[in-house]
Amino acid sequence: SRNEITNSLSILKVIAGVVLLVAVSWEIIGGDHTRFSHTYLTVQLAVCILFLCDFFVRWAAAGHKGRFFGRNILFFLISIPYLNILNWSGADLPRYWAMLIGVMPLMRAFLALYVVVRWLVDNKIRQLFTAYIFTVVVFTYISALVFYDYEILVNDKLHGFGNALWWAWMNVTTVGAEIFAVTAIGKVITILLPTLGMMMFPIFTVYVTSLVQSANKKKEDYYNKTHLTPSGQAVDTQPVVITHKSDNPQ
């Protein structure tokens, strides 16, 4: 059926996003930081084709095709394999622009991840909290990758990807790190990470408040069931004292 096809495509998009993230990690950590390898371009092309197929399948199944295309045009744009098109055309794009274009399909994988979270978690507050946790973890990791790729050749304090990952987590927790960005992209990420981290506190507060309210509601329901009569009156729960007469009073 149509729903089964849609659900299957959503699962495939998540798997494709994970594969693309692994490929990006391998390319950045083990690459030469000057150009993308043929293997990575092939992986990104396959993932983008899957994303485009998902878009066109949903478009064909939509009742109002014009409205669907207008609302989802961003999904279409970030699913296009721009790196492959530039490679086929022979354009010599600088590495710093190519990297930004190369991570764009990962945004499409984030949206598919949210769909899976919505399947697994039925509570809306938990959906928001779970989706945000995934977003923080993945965005921090990708920020570490991009920071490492841009800074490794020009930043003397950056000695490996481990330093970049530590830098990213210290910034997202608003603690800060001794490594300072040199490139423009690195400075932008330095601003975005603490902003993302500060946004987590209100969502975490809402989640904890929801848990407390849920626990209080369960306690109240339990009290009403065990301490109220069917007529709604409270049951006297004072203990009954039983006395025994002594056969030989003193």
Side-chain angles (χ1 to χ4, degrees):
S1 63
R2 182 181 301 177
N3 291 334
E4 292 178 351
I5 295 175
T6 302
N7 294 338
S8 299
L9 287 174
S10 298
I11 295 175
L12 287 176
K13 283 188 297 182
V14 174
I15 297 174
V18 173
V19 171
L20 184 60
L21 183 60
V22 172
V24 170
S25 303
W26 184 272
E27 183 70 18
I28 292 177
I29 297 174
D32 57 3
H33 307 286
T34 56
R35 60 179 59 86
F36 289 104
S37 64
H38 178 72
T39 302
Y40 173 73
L41 291 176
T42 302
V43 172
Q44 187 175 79
L45 177 62
V47 171
C48 288
I49 289 176
L50 177 63
F51 289 162
L52 289 173
C53 289
D54 171 75
F55 176 83
F56 286 116
V57 168
R58 295 176 185 273
W59 189 20
H64 301 279
K65 292 180 172 53
R67 183 184 304 174
F68 175 87
F69 186 83
R71 291 179 177 178
N72 297 274
I73 187 172
L74 178 62
F75 301 157
F76 173 73
L77 293 177
I78 63 178
S79 300
I80 298 175
Y82 295 105
L83 283 182
N84 298 91
I85 295 175
L86 292 171
N87 184 55
W88 295 334
S89 64
D92 187 13
L93 194 67
R95 170 74 177 200
Y96 53 86
W97 284 113
M99 174 54 61
L100 293 179
I101 296 175
V103 298
M104 285 177 59
L106 288 172
M107 298 172 57
R108 188 69 180 88
F110 287 164
L111 299 173
L113 180 63
Y114 175 73
V115 174
V116 174
V117 169
R118 192 168 56 185
W119 291 345
L120 299 177
V121 183
D122 53 354
N123 184 274
K124 291 184 178 181
I125 299 297
R126 290 182 181 178
Q127 285 181 4
L128 178 63
F129 183 73
T130 306
Y132 191 76
I133 290 296
F134 274 114
T135 302
V136 170
V137 172
V138 177
F139 184 80
T140 303
Y141 178 74
I142 294 176
S143 298
L145 287 174
V146 176
F147 182 81
Y148 176 74
D149 189 68
Y150 277 78
E151 298 278 335
I152 187 60
L153 299 179
V154 296
N155 197 325
D156 296 334
K157 293 185 177 181
L158 190 63
H159 304 294
F161 179 69
N163 293 135
L165 190 61
W166 173 81
W167 170 89
W169 279 109
M170 288 299 100
N171 277 279
V172 80
T173 55
T174 69
V175 175
E178 296 180 354
I179 302 174
F180 299 98
V182 176
T183 63
I185 294 297
K187 294 177 181 178
V188 170
I189 298 175
T190 305
I191 297 174
L192 292 178
L193 283 175
T195 303
L196 182 66
M198 288 185 292
M199 289 172 58
M200 181 178 181
F201 292 106
I203 297 177
F204 180 76
T205 303
V206 171
Y207 178 69
V208 173
T209 303
S210 174
L211 292 180
V212 172
Q213 290 177 347
S214 177
N216 291 336
K217 185 68 169 59
K218 291 180 180 179
K219 289 181 179 179
E220 183 179 353
D221 293 341
Y222 177 78
Y223 179 84
N224 292 335
K225 290 180 180 180
T226 58
H227 292 76
L228 293 181
T229 63
S231 60
Q233 295 179 350
V235 178
D236 187 5
T237 58
Q238 294 182 356
V240 178
V241 179
I242 301 176
T243 59
H244 298 276
K245 290 184 178 182
S246 176
D247 294 336
N248 298 314
Q250 296 179 357

